[in-house]
Structure formats: structure tokens, C-alpha cells
Amino acid sequence: MPDIPLLAGQDGARIPAIGLGTYDLRGADGVAATRTALDAGYRLLDTAFNYDNEGAVGRAVAESAVPRDTIVYSTKLPGRYHRHDLARRAIEESLFRSGLDRLDLVLIHWPNPRVGLYAEAWRALVEARADGLVSMIGVSNFLPEHLDRIIGETGVTPVVNQILVHPYTPNDALRAANAERGILTEGYSPLGKHTDLLADPVVTRIAVAHGVSARVVLLAWSVAIGVIPLPKSASPARQAENLDVFGVELSADEVAALSDLGRAEGADPRTHEEF
Ligand SMILES: NC(=O)c1ccc[n+]([C@@H]2O[C@H](COP(=O)([O-])OP(=O)(O)OC[C@H]3O[C@@H](n4cnc5c(N)ncnc54)[C@H](OP(=O)(O)O)[C@@H]3O)[C@@H](O)[C@H]2O)c1
């Protein structure tokens, strides 16, 4: 089993250097898939209220022999519950759904700035942390202007900002903005879902050179640039394969060649809304 490094976040927080994406892992199959991931060594589990699987992921944590205090159970507050009182109830509901006695990390899923309630939602997260419902709080899909508003209004900096990161969408400016504020970057869709990235000649050349899969190369690039990738897999073999990333060391030239593939923006958080 790989020894997954921990990255230091705000206030002494420790976040594993890779996590399991859990979108679409639901029901009994979701419990089983999350359990095999824990057995393989994953310690960060990325769920969300809107994935309809906070219960399945929580059940896997409860059933697993892996010590609870080594696991980071992370969930996300949906856009329809940004109003302060609704946010508090939704966080409580996430906790109840998880079946656990605390959440480890709660993120605001999208800022939805045209609705304009994300700062209220952030205050609810800050209070939920003070009340012991959750240990760490963060955000997802936030731009620097959104980060600065919530930090300015509360004095509390998110531990992580979870954003789209893969070589076609490296999100350099936003990653730099996170780092300047002491915020860790988690990367979603790190395997380039909905793109042709896996067949890119640069990716395949580096995969052949290291004798690993193209997916492992993509994850190794994320790790090399300081991003916490969140690959999702329902299959025990593929979950284990994705952890091979810690046996691969890309050269500086290889990292640069992959970073140079950047060509597309993700959804614009100023206008893209999720509820
Ligand atoms: N914050 C946000 O707004 C946001 C948005 C999107 C995603 N996310 C999070 O990020 C996680 C990952 O993103 P994602 O699910 O979009 O995409 P992803 O992890 O980049 O790709 C997942 C796909 O790759 C396949 N796969 C994984 N490892 C494989 C391997 N070794 N060999 C072959 N196929 C493999 C999976 O199939 P199998 O399951 O069949 O292996 C699945 O179809 C999500 O699950 C979610 O937790 C967050």
C-alpha cells in the first residue's frame, strides 16, 4: 500500500496528496467501491450533497477497519442552500446522511455570484466549524474575487479550493491565486474527462517512457505541480492503478511539456451556476 503524503493546509490542517472522487458511486455498490479504495490506501473521500451518496461514503468509513482519524470525509454544500439558515441545516443534513459523528471537510460547491449569497454560506460554514460539526472548511470553483470577499468578511481563509485541473485546463492563474492565499488546490476531473487528453501524443510518449498508463502520467503531473487530484473509479483494480502515481517521478521537462498542453478554460464560475 502506498504511503500517501499529507499536505499542510491552514491552521495545521493535513490533507492527503490524492483523494477518491465519488461522483456516481451510490448505494451498496458505492459502499463497496469506497471500501476497496480505503483498503487500497485512499484517505481522502470527495463526496457532495448533490452526489446523493453521502450515506454510502459514510457507511464505508464506518464499516472500514481504517482508523477514522486518518480519513478525511469531504462533502459540499449545494447552491440552493446558500442562505445562512438553509446552509446550516444542509450541513447538519450532510452530517446526518454521513452517519458519522463529524464531517472532516465541507466545501461550498459553486459560488453562484449572480445569486450573491456565497458569503452568507461561508459564514454558516465558519459557525459550523466553531460548533464542532466539521473540522475543516473550504470552497470549490471560487475565483480570486470570491476568495477575497469571504476572507475579507470573516477573516477565515478556506483550507482548499477545489477546481478543474488537468493538462488541457491547467488553471495556472487560479492555482497561483490559491497558493498566494495559503489555500491548497484540489483538482477535479484529473483524468481529463470529456477530452482527448488520454490519447495526446505528449501524454502517451511520457507514459511509454515510464512504463505506466496515460492516466498515471496525468495524476503524476497533478502531484508534481502541487495539486491534490481526485480521480474517481468504481473498480478496485483501477483505484489501485491510480495510486501508482507515487512510484513515478516526472522530470522537470516532462512536467513542463504537459503544462504546455493548456488550451481550454473550464466553466466560468461568474456565470456557470449549480444549485
Ligand atoms: N467540485 C466540482 O464542481 C466537481 C466537478 C466534477 C468532479 N468533481 C469531483 O472530482 C471527481 C473526479 O472527477 P470526474 O469523476 O469528473 O472524472 P475523473 O476522475 O477524471 O475520471 C473518472 C472516469 O475515469 C475512469 N477511470 C478512472 N481511473 C481509471 C483507470 N485507471 N483506467 C481506466 N479508467 C479509469 C472512471 O471509470 P471507472 O469508475 O469505471 O473506473 C470514470 O469514468 C468526481 O468524482 C468528484 O468527486 C468535482
Side-chain angles (χ1 to χ4, degrees):
M1 187 186 296
D3 197 8
I4 297 176
L6 296 173
L7 303 187
Q10 300 279 346
D11 299 336
R14 294 280 179 275
I15 312 277
I18 192 170
L20 179 76
T22 72
Y23 178 72
D24 221 21
L25 300 180
R26 292 193 301 274
D29 290 346
V31 177
T34 309
R35 285 200 62 174
T36 60
L38 287 167
D39 290 344
Y42 289 85
R43 293 294 177 267
L44 168 61
L45 307 171
D46 182 69
T47 177
F49 196 104
N50 278 350
Y51 298 171
D52 291 326
N53 67 355
E54 289 171 302
V57 175
R59 170 70 70 102
V61 171
E63 286 181 354
S64 169
V66 173
R68 173 71 186 91
D69 62 0
T70 65
I71 298 170
V72 177
Y73 177 102
S74 179
T75 191
K76 308 186 193 80
L77 175 74
R80 62 189 179 282
Y81 297 137
H82 279 190
R83 216 180 70 199
H84 183 271
D85 56 330
L86 299 182
R88 173 60 179 230
R89 278 190 230 142
I91 296 165
E92 290 168 354
E93 182 61 23
S94 285
L95 178 61
F96 302 154
R97 290 180 183 195
S98 75
L100 303 171
D101 61 5
R102 68 159 199 281
L103 302 166
D104 301 309
L105 179 58
V106 175
L107 315 180
I108 299 176
H109 207 145
W110 282 87
N112 294 356
R114 294 192 295 200
V115 176
L117 295 176
Y118 64 87
E120 263 186 45
W122 182 246
R123 271 199 301 281
L125 263 64
V126 171
E127 289 161 13
R129 187 182 64 170
D131 294 342
L133 276 69
V134 53
S135 306
M136 299 180 281
I137 54 178
V139 296
S140 179
N141 300 298
F142 270 46
L143 297 175
E145 67 218 53
H146 310 135
L147 296 171
D148 289 340
R149 175 154 175 220
I150 60 170
I151 295 167
E153 287 192 14
T154 63
V156 179
T157 300
V159 172
V160 305
N161 187 10
Q162 183 183 125
I163 60 174
L164 176 66
V165 184
H166 55 65
Y168 281 172
T169 307
N171 250 325
D172 295 334
L174 187 47
R175 287 191 292 105
N178 288 341
E180 279 163 20
R181 291 161 181 74
I183 299 169
L184 296 172
T185 299
E186 289 182 342
Y188 68 73
S189 303
L191 305 174
K193 208 160 140 181
H194 309 308
T195 75
D196 297 327
L197 186 54
L198 288 167
D200 190 287
V202 174
V203 177
T204 53
R205 168 176 62 78
I206 295 171
V208 169
H210 287 269
V212 297
S213 70
R215 289 179 179 82
V216 169
V217 168
L218 297 178
L219 297 173
W221 172 82
S222 285
V223 169
I225 63 167
V227 169
I228 299 167
L230 302 171
K232 172 264 171 183
S233 180
S235 136
R238 295 193 286 275
Q239 291 168 352
E241 176 192 338
N242 293 344
L243 290 183
D244 287 347
V245 55
F246 296 106
V248 179
E249 194 128 353
L250 301 179
S251 70
D253 285 348
E254 289 169 335
V255 173
L258 290 161
S259 298
D260 283 348
L261 295 177
R263 60 191 59 180
E265 304 286 326
D268 183 352
R270 288 180 199 86
T271 50
H272 179 87
E273 295 172 327
E274 290 200 9
F275 294 93

